[in-house]
Amino acid sequence: MMSNSKRTLNTFCNVALIEGISMVVLVVFSVLKRTTDYEWAVLGVKYIGWAHGLLFIAYVYLLWMCADRYKWKFSRVGIFFIASLIPFAPFFVERQLRHEK
């Protein structure tokens, strides 16, 4: 059973992974929307974009929670925040945090 002290970190790892996947899927749908006539690509951008937005909010909230709970340095928090804006970078955040557990 996981202790309460690591629960926030584990949740952040999971959200980082899912947020990274959602960003990659959103980029794929965005490219399809602009390069094809597929109507489902437009819907994909709409709904995946909505889900990605919620996941981004969760990522930033959990980043703030982890920074407070685990007393992370400002530079680490800044790097993890910037990673949330770059496709594939959340995968590196998730991997680094999994190795620290």
Side-chain angles (χ1 to χ4, degrees):
M1 184 170 189
M2 187 180 315
S3 68
N4 281 337
S5 66
K6 294 293 182 179
R7 188 163 298 175
T8 305
L9 185 62
N10 189 57
T11 303
F12 181 53
C13 285
N14 292 335
V15 168
L17 178 64
I18 297 167
E19 194 266 343
I21 292 168
S22 74
M23 180 180 274
V24 171
V25 172
L26 181 58
V27 167
V28 169
F29 273 99
S30 295
V31 169
L32 289 173
K33 176 184 171 188
R34 286 165 178 72
T35 59
T36 67
D37 292 330
Y38 299 142
E39 291 182 28
W40 52 265
V42 174
L43 291 175
V45 169
K46 179 179 179 179
Y47 293 111
I48 301 290
W50 180 79
H52 174 69
L54 289 176
L55 287 164
F56 174 77
I57 291 168
Y59 180 99
V60 172
Y61 175 75
L62 287 163
L63 174 60
W64 174 74
M65 292 288 294
C66 285
D68 183 57
R69 178 165 289 162
Y70 307 115
K71 307 300 182 215
W72 288 350
K73 293 181 181 179
F74 181 78
S75 60
R76 182 177 206 194
V77 174
I79 289 168
F80 284 0
F81 177 76
I82 291 168
S84 72
L85 305 173
I86 302 168
F88 300 104
F91 299 126
F92 297 105
V93 170
E94 185 266 344
R95 185 174 182 190
Q96 180 178 354
L97 292 175
R98 293 262 185 230
H99 287 269
E100 292 178 11
K101 293 198 303 184

